[in-house]
Amino acid sequence: MVARRRLGRRFGWLWAAYAVSTFGTRLAFDAFALIAILVLHAGPAEVSVLAAAGLAVGAVVAVPLGPWVEFRRKRPVMVAMDLTRFVALMSVPAAYALGLLGFVQLLVVSIVVGAADIAFNAAGGAYLKAIVRPEDLVVASGRFESTNWTATVLGPPLGTAAIGFFGPVLTVVTDAVSHLLSAAGIRAIGGHEPQPVRAGTKEVRLRFGGLFEGWRYILAHPALRPLFLNTVLVSGLIMATSPLLAVLMLGDLGFAPWQYGLAFGLPCVGGIIGSRLAPRLVARFGRHRVMLTAGTLRACWSLGPAFVRPGVAGLVLVIVVEFGLITCMGVFNPVFAAYRLDRTATDRVARTLSAWSLTSKATVAVMTGLWGLLAGITGPRVAIAVAGLLMLLTPFLLPRHDHTPHHERDLARSPT
């Protein structure tokens, strides 16, 4: 079976490290937003600023990291970024225990964690491509995606329940410890990782012109360019409404934190289903057709939360809408991730992924800020509806033609 391929010991350790840190992060689902709302009594504009500024400044800080990661061994970079996230996150419960926690500290920590996320993901993507055969990239990406959604099913309900029983910073501690365990798992991979080749003058050029090499590569590529525009806009629209929906449900509509966690945890079963289906769908219908179909269906759900009402009916509406959206994402994401790695030259992976991630985070930051301002004028419900309408336009940015060579299409469809 496609999904049961053995991908080797190194992949197993990398997958285990990812699973630990992902579960910790999902357990701390919207932890900073919840701390801002429940502890610092922040409103919609402040919560949006927290999400937007952290992403924006974190992205700017991460600008030089792409070229730097490209010519470094990837496992030490991942370990360093895990340790950086551990130290930054642990400062939050320490300040809370001393009665010193404030909005500015949450903002600084979100910046540091955001920059470390970009560097870690760039190094991790390059390392994954180095240890997994091209024909196994969809399977490997599907396993990461399935792990992500499994953690998201369990994490938010448990995390919000823990906040209700033990206070708002316990999940931040868990998130921090998960990155420490992830660092240990990556070190356990062992073996020798060769130092990427670099020339003395070439590295100097990369520190400056290399900052933009990833964007140049993406925008010049006929298949990556439309996917880049599509995925950046979709993630921006989804994430821009996340703090607004939190304010709407936890504030205006009076849902309890555990209900909010359930509304976003339970639908993630759809992500598990979608990610497990992805390799089988690719084997049957081809990578491009699956990516185009799932990407189109993914755009049809985001208008629904604008109509949420108090009580059980409103909770069920959110669960159904999120289930549909996440199932489509569960199919789309691993296929897209494998396609992006396969289409990117080996010596440009870190820079390309850094540029992609940086642009996505910066776009999320800008759109989150704009939607926060819009919500301040019109209310959260109207702002969510506007984002849902814009989402319906995003399928037009998907690539309409398959740029994969014929022999590679046959390989991608091979079931063994």
Side-chain angles (χ1 to χ4, degrees):
M1 295 295 290
V2 173
R4 295 181 180 177
R5 290 179 186 170
R6 298 181 62 85
L7 302 182
R9 175 184 174 278
R10 290 182 297 173
F11 175 80
W13 274 112
L14 182 65
W15 188 17
Y18 175 83
V20 170
S21 63
T22 300
F23 187 85
T25 299
R26 294 300 178 266
L27 196 67
F29 171 74
D30 271 358
F32 282 13
L34 290 172
I35 290 172
I37 294 169
L38 301 176
V39 176
L40 304 178
H41 308 292
E46 290 173 298
V47 174
S48 294
V49 166
L50 176 62
L55 288 171
V57 181
V60 171
V61 170
V63 165
L65 293 180
W68 180 78
V69 170
E70 194 78 78
F71 293 94
R72 298 295 186 281
R73 288 179 296 170
K74 305 306 183 288
R75 284 197 295 119
V77 171
M78 289 188 282
V79 170
M81 294 304 105
D82 266 334
L83 295 178
T84 298
R85 290 185 285 191
F86 168 74
V87 172
L89 288 167
M90 281 302 295
S91 73
V92 173
Y96 179 78
L98 295 172
L100 300 175
L101 183 62
F103 188 82
V104 173
Q105 182 176 352
L106 290 179
L107 188 59
V108 171
V109 172
S110 69
I111 290 168
V112 173
V113 171
D117 284 345
I118 292 175
F120 183 94
N121 292 334
Y127 188 68
L128 178 65
K129 182 168 182 175
I131 65 174
V132 173
R133 298 177 301 173
E135 60 268 29
D136 289 332
L137 282 174
V138 171
V139 176
S141 299
R143 290 178 185 176
F144 283 123
E145 188 73 10
S146 178
T147 300
N148 175 54
W149 291 118
T150 300
T152 309
V153 169
L154 300 175
L158 292 176
T160 49
I163 287 174
F165 284 108
F166 303 109
V169 297
L170 177 65
T171 56
V172 178
V173 175
T174 306
D175 190 12
V177 172
S178 76
H179 291 300
L180 188 63
L181 295 175
S182 172
I186 292 169
R187 282 186 59 85
I189 293 174
H192 174 68
E193 182 184 353
Q195 179 75 29
V197 178
R198 65 180 188 274
T201 57
K202 183 178 180 181
E203 184 177 11
V204 173
R205 290 197 301 270
L206 281 170
R207 287 186 181 276
F208 295 95
L211 302 181
F212 304 99
E213 183 62 30
W215 286 296
R216 285 197 292 265
Y217 186 81
I218 293 167
L219 295 177
H221 199 291
L224 294 182
R225 182 174 60 249
L227 277 176
F228 175 68
L229 297 174
N230 173 269
T231 56
V232 165
L233 182 57
V234 167
S235 64
L237 289 170
I238 291 174
M239 297 305 297
T241 58
S242 179
L244 305 182
L245 193 53
V247 171
L248 179 63
M249 293 183 67
L250 293 170
D252 298 351
L253 301 180
F255 286 99
W258 71 266
Q259 292 175 309
Y260 177 73
L262 180 66
F264 291 93
L266 186 59
C268 294
V269 172
I272 301 172
I273 296 170
S275 60
R276 292 186 65 83
L277 284 175
R280 295 174 174 84
L281 292 173
V282 168
R284 181 171 182 179
F285 299 107
R287 185 164 53 186
H288 181 263
R289 183 180 298 177
V290 172
M291 191 165 58
L292 181 63
T293 302
T296 300
L297 294 175
R298 180 184 56 162
C300 301
W301 301 93
S302 294
L303 189 60
F307 301 98
V308 64
R309 290 290 185 268
V312 175
L315 187 63
V316 170
L317 173 64
V318 174
I319 290 173
V320 170
V321 167
E322 292 296 318
F323 180 84
L325 172 64
I326 291 171
T327 301
C328 296
M329 291 171 63
V331 175
F332 178 87
N333 288 349
V335 180
F336 150 71
Y339 184 81
R340 179 176 60 180
L341 282 176
D342 194 35
R343 295 289 89 195
T344 304
T346 301
D347 63 345
R348 296 171 185 261
V349 172
R351 281 170 287 172
T352 299
L353 295 184
S354 292
W356 207 299
S357 180
L358 192 154
T359 305
S360 181
K361 287 179 180 291
T363 302
V364 169
V366 171
M367 295 181 71
T368 300
L370 291 175
W371 256 257
L373 293 174
L374 179 61
I377 298 170
T378 65
R381 196 182 298 276
V382 174
I384 292 170
V386 171
L389 291 172
L390 290 175
M391 182 73 84
L392 295 175
L393 303 177
T394 59
F396 294 102
L397 294 174
L398 289 167
R400 296 293 159 181
H401 303 288
D402 189 358
H403 297 274
T404 306
H406 288 288
H407 70 280
E408 294 186 21
R409 295 180 205 172
D410 295 337
L411 185 61
R413 294 184 185 187
S414 175
T416 59

